[in-house]
Amino acid sequence: MASEKKIKRKHQRIPVSQEQLRKTQAIVDASLKDNPDMFNLPVSKHSVELLTDYFVKTKADTTRILPKEKRRYVIYCRKSTDDESKQVRSLDDQEKECLELAEQLDIKVRKEDIFRESASAKKSGKRPIFDHIIEGFQTNKYHGLLTWSPDRLSRNMKEGGEIIELVDLERIQDLHFKTYQFENTPNGKMLLGILFATSKQYSDKLSVDVNRGITGNITEGKYNGSVKKGYYANPDTGYFEPDSLNWHLIRRAVVMRAYEGKTNQQIADWLNASHLSVRRNRDDTPKLAKMSKKTVGDTFADPFYCGVYHYGERIANLNELYDFMPLMTTDEYVTINRATADTFNEKYVGRATKSTKLDFGVLREKVICDYCDTVMEFQRQLIKKGKNKGSYTIRYYCRNRASCERHLKKDECIAKYGKVLPKSVRLKTIAPAIEDTLRHLTKNTVEAHKRYIERLEQQIIVDKAIAERKLRQATSDVKKQQVEYDKYLNLHLNHTSDYNKYHKGKLEQTETLLNAYRATQEQSKKDLAKLKEPLPTREQFVELVNSYLKIATTTQDLVEEDAVYNEVVLNLRVRDDVVSVIKLNPPYDLMVDLEKITFGARERT
């Protein structure tokens, strides 16, 4: 007789009782006696920006979602013929109206990012300037696009499809037309495709619709259907807000793990005894969250609690998008997760285990094969023998099997080069070449310092705009929450029975939010004050450049090492298994003393 199938029971959450809420409140009150201002988290050595970059580099094919202030926008103007009488708008008119649109949207466009082209869009592959712009979006050089109308971009199915795919992949994170209101939804993309080429048809299945709707929320840092313990979603904005008692419980759990050495099982037992609960919206009934060793570990492993929102192939720093209140610092996250502790060279607070898999990609997409001009892929390799058994080496492989000389057959390769060409190169052979370059950044320091300051000034403009936006938002939120708090306080004092019957707990909730927004308000003020600090002098700039070499040669922190490489190196080329050419980012390209470089083809550096 066939065994009966087990009936899978739907998991049901149990509402929190009033007695349990009172107990939770007592536990939180007791913990707040030692730290009454829990929203002011400890100062972190590592920034959320650094942690965001870490996840971008450890997750394949991820796209970093940037706030508007950090996006680089392009204006594209096109006409099909030199006969001005046949043009709906001249190139001058298109540029003028696109700049007016940018001003209305509070978008900054650099002069060098305004492109004009005289070419037909009926056939693909006939517009070199358009192709250059598309390549810029594919490589994350550009993030936003403004043009006069959809037909300026494309009138053929191939290039129209490329644009829509770039929007789908968030390579184009913002798209605006002067004559057409585009909405980044499946229907909006379908209509845009019809405008690009009437023969092109789109159909989105329900699963795709859902996925793309979620993507839109990730882009704006909003709730996407996944409840985060310690937070709920504001029903009006969709933004995450701290959930009063539960936020404090999870914060206390972080302290227990990071500073008191408690195990995940001990923390799970404590959270269950403290009646941790979850809810989607503020007005929902809180329901008990059953915690286990695994769910505690999963919670601590979620970078959301620092402000790094990760879903699918999208990653966003919530601290840039709105006045998000993080629950743990980057340093705390790094130390309570083994993978990040190893990568950042910090002491792991958990039990010692065998070496973990290294996911962080140093010099990712910067190493180019000198035989075929293809970007070499980053790969980790486990060492199985010897004194370093169990650890990993980092290699870069050329995967261009079709046309790269590295993949010639053995006999052909020996006949042509007298040897078999290596298919990979190790980081340990690349690093000395970079260090040699860093050692000789000694020329043109005056001009290099000038360029460096110009870059800093541009960055300060962006950072100031973000901090001012967050300060305005936090100030507005403080005012709104103060009104709410005063309303519930008045009800509590003067209409106690009505308050207990209809609004019980709302006073504590609004007080928590009020404190959170005040903390964000103060932090934004500090950020703005920091941006007013004096910029580095030439002597300080030279000292900074000299520090890059020290970091590169002494640090065990891969993230710190990669930060130096990203700052200085634009890309490098590898021939055989050695570096032949290194190209530097400005202003460091002005400083290198080529006569003293001991590797590669100097004339191409």
Side-chain angles (χ1 to χ4, degrees):
M1 185 177 177
S3 59
E4 295 182 3
K5 290 185 178 180
K6 290 184 178 180
I7 299 174
K8 190 174 181 179
R9 295 182 179 179
K10 185 178 180 180
H11 178 68
Q12 292 184 334
R13 293 193 183 275
I14 302 171
V16 182
S17 67
Q18 290 300 314
E19 179 60 33
Q20 289 170 329
L21 280 175
R22 281 193 289 270
K23 183 178 179 181
T24 302
Q25 183 69 60
I27 292 171
V28 170
D29 289 343
S31 67
L32 287 175
K33 287 181 180 179
D34 298 327
N35 184 9
D37 196 9
M38 288 190 72
F39 286 111
N40 287 331
L41 302 183
V43 176
S44 181
K45 179 177 72 174
H46 298 103
S47 67
V48 179
E49 180 70 18
L50 201 61
L51 189 65
T52 305
D53 187 54
Y54 165 82
F55 279 101
V56 170
K57 291 186 176 183
T58 55
K59 307 295 182 182
D61 300 321
T62 52
T63 299
R64 168 77 184 276
I65 305 301
L66 297 172
K68 184 172 67 174
E69 294 88 349
K70 286 192 173 184
R71 294 173 185 166
R72 185 171 176 179
Y73 284 84
V74 170
I75 288 178
Y76 178 70
C77 308
R78 182 187 66 81
K79 67 174 184 176
S80 298
T81 174
D82 292 331
D83 185 353
E84 295 292 341
S85 64
K86 294 183 180 180
Q87 298 302 311
V88 178
R89 281 290 186 275
S90 69
L91 292 177
D92 287 339
D93 287 342
Q94 289 181 43
E95 180 179 330
K96 179 183 176 182
E97 293 187 31
C98 285
L99 286 171
E100 289 173 354
L101 176 63
E103 186 175 358
Q104 292 170 12
L105 298 171
D106 196 23
I107 288 172
K108 309 297 182 185
V109 183
R110 303 179 188 179
K111 188 173 291 186
E112 65 267 27
D113 293 337
I114 300 174
F115 296 95
R116 294 180 171 206
E117 189 161 43
S118 297
S120 172
K122 289 183 179 180
K123 294 183 179 180
S124 63
K126 303 293 184 181
R127 294 181 289 163
I129 294 177
F130 175 82
D131 292 340
H132 165 77
I133 292 172
I134 292 298
E135 183 182 359
F137 282 109
Q138 291 170 338
T139 57
N140 292 320
K141 179 180 180 180
Y142 305 128
H143 313 99
L145 175 59
L146 287 81
T147 190
W148 190 71
S149 70
D151 65 2
R152 298 302 87 195
L153 290 179
S154 175
R155 284 183 174 176
N156 68 81
M157 187 166 61
K158 180 179 181 296
E159 291 175 340
E162 286 179 355
I163 293 166
I164 292 173
E165 183 180 30
L166 289 171
V167 173
D168 262 348
L169 297 174
E170 297 289 350
R171 297 294 186 182
I172 297 179
Q173 298 185 16
D174 213 359
L175 178 60
H176 295 283
F177 303 98
K178 177 65 177 178
T179 62
Y180 175 73
Q181 183 69 40
F182 169 69
E183 293 183 3
N184 190 2
T185 64
N187 285 339
K189 282 175 276 194
M190 181 185 71
L191 292 173
L192 182 60
I194 292 172
L195 289 173
F196 282 148
T198 55
S199 62
K200 184 173 178 62
Q201 296 181 358
Y202 294 85
S203 61
D204 290 313
K205 295 181 180 179
L206 177 61
S207 61
V208 177
D209 287 345
V210 171
N211 182 56
R212 290 176 181 172
I214 287 173
T215 297
N217 284 343
I218 293 292
T219 302
E220 299 175 11
K222 296 181 179 181
Y223 169 77
N224 69 345
S226 176
V227 176
K228 300 293 185 180
K229 297 175 181 66
Y231 293 84
Y232 51 67
N234 184 307
D236 297 322
T237 64
Y239 292 147
F240 289 98
E241 295 179 344
D243 184 3
S244 189
L245 301 179
N246 296 301
W247 190 95
H248 286 292
L249 290 179
I250 299 294
R251 175 61 197 160
R252 176 63 189 145
V254 171
V255 172
M256 292 169 69
R257 182 65 171 155
Y259 303 106
E260 299 175 8
K262 302 294 184 183
T263 66
N264 286 352
Q265 186 59 59
Q266 289 173 318
I267 293 170
D269 293 340
W270 180 81
L271 288 172
N272 288 330
S274 302
H275 308 301
L276 176 72
S277 60
V278 294
R279 51 182 163 175
R280 184 177 60 184
N281 295 320
R282 180 171 56 188
D283 296 330
D284 291 348
T285 301
K287 296 182 179 179
L288 289 173
K290 187 176 180 181
M291 301 299 287
S292 64
K293 176 181 176 180
K294 182 180 183 304
T295 53
V296 169
D298 290 344
T299 300
F300 289 156
D302 190 347
F304 166 84
Y305 293 96
C306 295
V308 182
Y309 198 16
H310 183 205
Y311 189 92
E313 297 176 351
R314 275 75 177 177
I315 294 179
N317 182 351
L318 298 183
N319 300 281
E320 294 178 332
L321 299 179
Y322 61 97
D323 50 344
F324 175 76
M325 174 53 63
L327 193 144
M328 70 172 85
T329 68
T330 303
D331 285 356
E332 290 167 344
Y333 180 88
V334 166
T335 57
I336 64 179
N337 287 282
R338 180 58 190 266
T340 50
D342 287 350
T343 303
F344 284 77
N345 194 36
E346 297 289 347
K347 184 179 179 181
Y348 174 54
V349 298
R351 296 177 181 175
T353 58
K354 64 180 181 179
S355 180
T356 57
K357 182 179 179 181
L358 175 64
D359 289 321
F360 187 76
V362 179
L363 284 170
R364 193 184 289 271
E365 297 186 351
K366 287 182 177 286
V367 181
I368 300 171
C369 176
D370 213 8
Y371 287 100
C372 64
D373 293 331
T374 300
V375 173
M376 301 180 77
E377 293 185 11
F378 166 89
Q379 185 171 315
R380 303 157 298 277
Q381 189 173 29
L382 179 66
I383 299 175
K384 297 181 179 180
K385 297 180 180 179
K387 63 179 182 179
N388 295 321
K389 180 181 178 181
S391 60
Y392 286 82
T393 61
I394 298 175
R395 289 181 176 272
Y396 302 88
Y397 283 82
C398 180
R399 302 298 188 189
N400 183 13
R401 296 180 180 276
S403 57
C404 185
E405 301 283 272
R406 293 178 186 270
H407 294 282
L408 288 174
K409 292 181 179 179
K410 183 177 179 180
D411 293 342
E412 293 178 15
C413 200
I414 292 175
K416 189 171 183 178
Y417 294 101
K419 60 180 179 180
V420 176
L421 299 179
K423 295 177 177 58
S424 68
V425 59
R426 295 176 66 179
L427 176 61
K428 68 182 294 183
T429 64
I430 291 176
I434 299 176
E435 292 163 11
D436 191 34
T437 302
L438 292 173
R439 197 171 283 111
H440 297 104
L441 295 180
T442 56
K443 298 178 67 177
N444 301 321
T445 57
V446 174
E447 182 62 24
H449 172 251
K450 179 183 175 183
R451 300 277 184 89
Y452 180 76
I453 293 300
E454 288 173 353
R455 193 185 76 181
L456 277 186
E457 288 172 342
Q458 290 298 316
Q459 184 60 49
I460 287 172
I461 291 172
V462 172
D463 292 342
K464 184 179 178 182
I466 293 174
E468 287 177 341
R469 169 171 54 79
K470 290 181 65 177
L471 179 58
R472 288 194 301 270
Q473 185 176 351
T475 301
S476 174
D477 289 335
V478 165
K479 290 179 180 178
K480 291 177 183 177
Q481 286 303 316
Q482 186 66 59
V483 171
E484 288 286 294
Y485 178 78
D486 292 342
K487 179 180 73 175
Y488 290 124
L489 181 61
N490 179 59
L491 282 170
H492 180 63
L493 295 175
N494 301 316
H495 306 279
T496 306
S497 59
D498 287 343
Y499 174 82
N500 290 333
K501 186 175 182 180
Y502 300 109
H503 306 288
K504 190 172 180 61
K506 294 292 180 65
L507 184 62
E508 292 79 9
Q509 291 176 17
T510 52
E511 184 180 22
T512 296
L513 286 176
L514 184 58
N515 290 334
Y517 291 138
R518 282 173 176 166
T520 303
Q521 188 181 38
E522 289 305 311
Q523 185 59 51
S524 296
K525 290 178 181 178
K526 291 178 183 178
D527 292 341
L528 283 170
K530 192 173 182 180
L531 292 172
K532 295 179 181 178
E533 294 177 357
L535 296 177
T537 63
R538 186 181 69 84
E539 291 74 17
Q540 290 171 328
F541 169 67
V542 172
E543 188 177 333
L544 175 66
V545 173
N546 291 336
S547 73
Y548 295 156
L549 177 62
K550 182 178 180 181
I551 293 171
T553 54
T554 62
T555 186
Q556 298 298 312
D557 183 339
L558 283 177
V559 177
E560 187 177 32
E561 182 180 0
D562 188 59
V564 169
Y565 295 159
N566 277 329
E567 171 67 19
V568 178
V569 178
L570 175 64
N571 59 53
L572 56 87
R573 304 178 71 88
V574 177
R575 192 169 187 85
D576 295 343
D577 60 350
V578 296
V579 175
S580 58
V581 177
I582 295 180
K583 289 187 176 181
L584 304 182
N585 288 316
Y588 309 106
D589 55 343
L590 301 175
M591 301 178 68
V592 63
D593 189 343
L594 297 178
E595 295 301 320
K596 295 181 180 179
I597 298 295
T598 59
F599 70 90
R602 295 174 183 170
E603 69 276 10
R604 294 177 59 193
T605 302

